[in-house]
Amino acid sequence: MAGSGKLVILSVDHGLEQGPARSFAKNPDAYDPAYLFELAIESGCSAHAAPLGAIESCVRDFAGEIPLILKATTTAQVDDALRLGCSGISFTLRWSGSVQGNKMYEEIQEAARRAKQLGLVVFIGVHTKGEGLNGKTGEPAVDVVADGAHIACQLGAHIVQVGVPAAVIEQEAAKYIYEAQGIRVKNLVERARHLVQSSFNGRRIILFSGGELKGTPEMFEEAKQLAQGGAFGTMMGRNALQRPRKEAVAFLHGVMEAYTGRGL
Amino acid sequence: MAGSGKLVILSVDHGLEQGPARSFAKNPDAYDPAYLFELAIESGCSAHAAPLGAIESCVRDFAGEIPLILKATTTAQVDDALRLGCSGISFTLRWSGSVQGNKMYEEIQEAARRAKQLGLVVFIGVHTKGEGLNGKTGEPAVDVVADGAHIACQLGAHIVQVGVPAAVIEQEAAKYIYEAQGIRVKNLVERARHLVQSSFNGRRIILFSGGELKGTPEMFEEAKQLAQGGAFGTMMGRNALQRPRKEAVAFLHGVMEAYTGRGL
Amino acid sequence: MAGSGKLVILSVDHGLEQGPARSFAKNPDAYDPAYLFELAIESGCSAHAAPLGAIESCVRDFAGEIPLILKATTTAQVDDALRLGCSGISFTLRWSGSVQGNKMYEEIQEAARRAKQLGLVVFIGVHTKGEGLNGKTGEPAVDVVADGAHIACQLGAHIVQVGVPAAVIEQEAAKYIYEAQGIRVKNLVERARHLVQSSFNGRRIILFSGGELKGTPEMFEEAKQLAQGGAFGTMMGRNALQRPRKEAVAFLHGVMEAYTGRGL
Amino acid sequence: MAGSGKLVILSVDHGLEQGPARSFAKNPDAYDPAYLFELAIESGCSAHAAPLGAIESCVRDFAGEIPLILKATTTAQVDDALRLGCSGISFTLRWSGSVQGNKMYEEIQEAARRAKQLGLVVFIGVHTKGEGLNGKTGEPAVDVVADGAHIACQLGAHIVQVGVPAAVIEQEAAKYIYEAQGIRVKNLVERARHLVQSSFNGRRIILFSGGELKGTPEMFEEAKQLAQGGAFGTMMGRNALQRPRKEAVAFLHGVMEAYTGRGL
Amino acid sequence: MAGSGKLVILSVDHGLEQGPARSFAKNPDAYDPAYLFELAIESGCSAHAAPLGAIESCVRDFAGEIPLILKATTTAQVDDALRLGCSGISFTLRWSGSVQGNKMYEEIQEAARRAKQLGLVVFIGVHTKGEGLNGKTGEPAVDVVADGAHIACQLGAHIVQVGVPAAVIEQEAAKYIYEAQGIRVKNLVERARHLVQSSFNGRRIILFSGGELKGTPEMFEEAKQLAQGGAFGTMMGRNALQRPRKEAVAFLHGVMEAYTGRGL
C-alpha cells in the first residue's frame, strides 16, 4: 500500500493442492487465471503471486500492471521468474521441527542464491507440518511457527510468510523458556509481536497468510490485531477468490485498511 | 484439422508398456514404425507422436510430411526433439492425488523449460494412477482427472492429454463441493466441459485419449460428445493401428468428422 | 562378413561377472586381453567387444586391425570409446518386465545420445532378468525377449543383442495374443523371425549371443536356424575363448559360414 | 588476539537448532543479529561466525570492522562467503564412528576445495553424534573426539573445532591402546594435549567450543586448562550472548586473558 | 627401486579408519604427517601415499623429494592431486562379489578417466568385504581377491593393490573350476602367480599390502614368496610406521631387498 510500508498480496495456488473444483467452484470466474490478475489489479493489491502455468498463460495480457511473484514450489524454478518478468519468487519451507538431514534446505539455499543474482525478492513461506509435530494443535503453535520464521530468515528470505500462530507452546523444551522469560503469547497482538521479534527483530518482513475461509468481520479483526503487533501485511487467497468479484474487492480494501489504519 | 481448431493425433507407444505382440500382432504392418507414419499422413492426422527409436528410424523418409511429437518418457529428452526435427514433445505426469515430495514434478519442469527455449510445443499426458487412488474406479474419476489436468496446466503444458473421465467422484474431500456447487458430471458432455474448465477455463488445449479398443460407432459417439463439451480433439493409438489400413483411415476420418462437425 | 550383411563379433567381458578363473582357466591364453584381440583378428570377426581395461591395455598394439566396441556397462562411458578409437559402444538393458520408475532408461538414453553425437554405433544388449520374471523358465521366454528387443529399439539402438529365446510364453497377458493371432514360436527359425519383426520389422539389426558353452555341431545348427529366421549375426564369447586357439578359429569360421551360407 | 596466536571467536547459530526463544529470550537484544556483530567487535573477538541470513542482513553496516566466518551448514554454500565478504567458512562434520558410505564427506571435500580456490580459511566443526555412539557418555568421549578431529584434518581443515572432551574412552577397540601406550586423558590439560596431538601434532589449529551455559569462574578455569594443554582458542556462543551486554564483554575479556595468559 | 621394476610404497591412512591413537600411539612421531614423509624419503621408498590433509599440510616442505600418491577415498578428488603436485591417485574398490547396481563403479570410472586426462597414475586398491562374503575366511580367499583384481584392471587401473590372499576358495561356483583346471593356490608363491595372471597376465602392475602388524622375519619371508610369484611390490603402512624410526628404515630396506633380490 503506497507509503504505508504494508503489503497485501493476492496469492493463489490452491488448485495444486486441492484441485480446481474445491478451489474455484464457489466462484467459477476463478477457474480462469486472468480473473485473479484482474482481481489483484482492481483491488489495488501490492502484488499477485501464482504458479508458473497461471502466470505464463496471462502475463502478456497484464504486463506491467502489477508486480508478480512466481510460486516456485512444484511448478517452477528461479529462471522462470526472470523469463516471465516477475519481481519476486516464493519458496516453501516445510518445517517439521528439525534442520537435520534435509535436502530441502540445500534446494532453497541454491534457489535463493540464484534469485538474488537475478535481483529477485525472495519470499519463503513457512509450512509447519511433519511427524515431529502434534497435528492440528502443534502445527500452528506459536513456538513452532517462530522457529520456522527464524530459519527462513537465516536461509536468506527477504520476506517470510507464516500462518496465523495459535496460543499454544508445542515443544516441551520450549515451554520452560517461554514461562521463565515471561514471553507473552496469549493474545494475537502478542503473538504477532513475538513473530516479528523472531524474524531478526524486524530486520526481515513477515507476512501472515489468510488461512481457512472466514467471515468478513473476523478477518478484519484478525488483520487489525496482527497489524497492531507489527505485522507487515498478508498473503491472501481463498478468502478473496471465493467471494464474488465485487464482494472480494470490498473485502480486500477492508483488509488493507486494517493494516494501514487508514481508509482507501 | 485445417481451420477447425481441432486436433486428431496418431500417438503410438504401446510397445513400450505392453510389448510388440500385444500392440501390433492384430495388424502386423504396425510392427514397422514407417507404417504408422504412413497411416498418420494418409489419413490427414494433425501430427504423429512416437518414442525416440520409431522416429529416429523413419524421420529421414518422411521429413516435412507431418508434424512430429516426440514422446519423451522412457526413451528421450528434449534435445532429441530438436535433433529429430519434431515440433512438440510429450511428457507423462503420473498423478496419484498429491503433489508432495515428488521428483517427477521437478523433471517435467526442467524439461518443459528447455522445450520452450527450443520453441517446442509442450504436451503433458496425465496418467491417473497410484496408491492414493481406488484402482479401476478411482483412477478415471472425473475429480481425479480434473485435478491432474489442472496441475498439468500449472506445470506449463500448452496441450494437456487425459483419459476419458468416468461419472465418479473419487475423493471424499471433493464430493461435498461437487454436490454443494452443483457441478454436473453425469454425462460425457458435462464431464468434457468440466475438464475444459479445469484447464484454465479453456486457456489451455485439452485432448482426450482413445483408450481401450472399442467399436467404431461407440468411438464416434464418444468423440461427438467430447467435442460438444468443448474438447479440442484426441490423441489416438490402439483404435487406429489395430484396424487394417483402409479401415483405419476411414475410422480416423470418422473421428475427425465427429470433432469438426463436418465431412472431409 | 564382407558383403554378406552378417556380423560375427567376438565379445568378452565374462571376467567381470564370473571372475578370471571361471572365464579363462580352460584356455589360460585368454587371461591376456591381447590374446582375444589376436583371436578376433585371425578368425576374421567383424569386430571385437570388450570392457575398458582390456581395450586400454591393448589398443595401441592392434590399432586399425579390427573395429572395436567398448562394453560400457560397469567400466566405461561414451567418451572413453572416443579416446580409445572404438567404432561402437555397448550398453546393457536389464529388462524385468516393466519400464516404470527406472533410472537405467535415463542413463542409457543419455549415453546413447552422446554416442550418436560422437558418431558411434550404439549396441544395446538386452538381459532379461528380474523379480517379475519366472527365473530360468521366464527369463528366456520368447515374449519377454521380444519385449526387451522392442524397447532397445525404441531407446535408439542401432544394433540389439539378445539371448537365444526359448519356446515359452511367460507373461499371462501375452499368452492370449500369441494364440489368438497365431504367432508361431515353436521352432528356432520362427522365434528368430518373431524377434526380427519385434525389432522394427528388420529396420534395426538384431544379433543373438552364444550363451552357455555348447558342442560345435549344436552351435552350428543353432546359428543356421537363427540365420534362416533372419538374424543378422551373433556376439559370441565363451564358446570361442574357452576352446584352444586353432579350434577356436575353426569354430568361428564355422559360425560365419552358418550365417553367411557360404564357405570362407 | 593480536600477537598471541590465540583465537576467540563469537559463533552464533543456536536459533537454527533450538529456535529463537530458547536461544535469545534470556537477553532479547540478541534476537537482532546486529547486536551480535556489535558484541564481537566491542569485546575484541578475533572473528564473528554466523549463518547466511544473519550476515546478509548486517554485513553492509559492519563492513571491514571484524573478520566474518560464514557457517555454511543448512543455510549457505562457499560462494555465499565470497559474495558476503567473509574471510572463512565453517562446515559441520557429524562424526558417528565410521567413515563408510557417507555422502557428507564428499560434500565437505568439494566445498573445502572450492573454498581454498577462493582463498577462504576452512573451519570444520566436529559434532560427535550418531547410532554408533553411546549418547551422553560416548559422544564427548576423548577417543571419539580425537578421531573426529583427525578426520577433519585429513579432510583439509585449516581450523578444527571440537567440543570439550570428557575423560571417557568410548570405543572398545581404542581402550586397549590408550592403556597399553599410557595415553593420559584424566585431566583436561592432558585431554587438550591429546587433541592437539591428534590434529597433526599441532600442524592444524584446534579450537574448543564453549558448550552449555556455565558459571563464569568455571568457564575461565576451563579455558586456562585448555590453553595449558596447547589449545589455540575457542568458538563461543551461548555463554556470551545469554549474558547482558556489559557482562558479556567482560566475560569475553576474561576468556581471552585465560587463553593468552595476559591482561587486555 | 631404481632399475628393478619393483615398487615399495609407504602408504598411510589408518587414522581415517581407526583413529589417531590406534594408528600412531605406538610411535608418537607418526602423529605428525611430516614424519611419514621423512621416513619414506630416508628409506628410499618408491613413493608416499596419504590422504589429502596430510599431503596438504606437508607438501611445500618436501616438494620434489619423493613421488606422492593421493589417497582419494573419503578426503579428496582427482583435481586435488593436480593441485598438490601428486604423481598418482588411489581409489578404493570395495569388492563384495557382484558388480550389479553399484554406484561405486561409476564413481571410480569417472575419477579414473579424469585422472588419465591429467596424466596421473591410477591406483585401485581392492578391499574384499561385504554381505556376500564369509567374513574372515571368505574376504581374503584367493578366488575373491583374484576377481577383485581383475575388475580393478577392467576399470582401468594402472596399478592394482590387494591384500595377501589366503589358501581358501570361497565361492561355490569357483571351487569346481579351480579343481578341474588344477589351478594351484596352496602356497603363497602360487597365489601370487595366480593374482598376476588374473591381472591381465602381467599387463597390469599388482602390489600387495602389508596387512596386520607382523614380526620382521615373517614379513621378509612373505615378501620373498610374493616376489617369487611375480608380485611387483608392496604398499605398506602399519608395519613401517609403528616401528621406531631407525628400525622402520632398516625394516623397509629388508622388504626392498626381498622384492629386488639384491642388497641396498
Side-chain angles (χ1 to χ4, degrees), chain D residues 74-125:
Chain D
T74 304
T75 67
Q77 281 192 344
V78 175
D79 285 28
D80 291 307
L82 190 70
R83 167 168 77 87
L84 296 170
C86 297
S87 309
I89 188 148
S90 165
F91 309 111
T92 299
L93 174 72
R94 284 184 198 276
W95 171 240
S96 63
S98 166
V99 294
Q100 299 289 15
N102 201 322
K103 208 176 159 262
M104 177 187 60
Y105 293 94
E106 208 177 302
E107 290 171 1
I108 294 181
Q109 247 188 55
E110 285 183 23
R113 188 178 305 119
R114 176 76 182 138
K116 288 170 192 170
Q117 285 176 341
L118 298 176
L120 298 167
V121 176
V122 173
F123 289 71
I124 297 182

Side-chain angles (χ1 to χ4, degrees), chain B residues 15-17 19-22 24-26 28 31-34 51-54 56-58 61 72 74-77 80 83 94, chain C residues 95 99-100 105-106 109-110 113 116 146-147 150-151 153-156 171 173-174 177-178 181 183 194 197-198 200-201 203-204:
Chain B
L16 278 176
E17 292 281 349
R22 274 177 283 166
F24 307 127
K26 274 203 181 160
Y31 280 111
D32 183 349
L52 180 123
E56 195 170 55
S57 69
C58 295
D61 297 338
T74 305
T75 67
Q77 282 192 344
D80 291 308
R83 167 169 74 86
R94 284 183 198 276
Chain C
W95 171 242
V99 294
Q100 300 286 16
Y105 293 94
E106 210 179 300
Q109 247 188 55
E110 286 184 22
R113 189 178 305 119
K116 288 170 192 171
D147 287 7
H150 181 75
I151 288 170
C153 290
Q154 288 289 25
L155 277 165
Q171 303 166 94
I177 198 78
Y178 276 82
Q181 300 299 327
I183 305 175
H194 183 56
Q197 193 180 41
S198 297
F200 289 178
N201 211 24
R203 282 188 180 263
R204 290 295 178 243

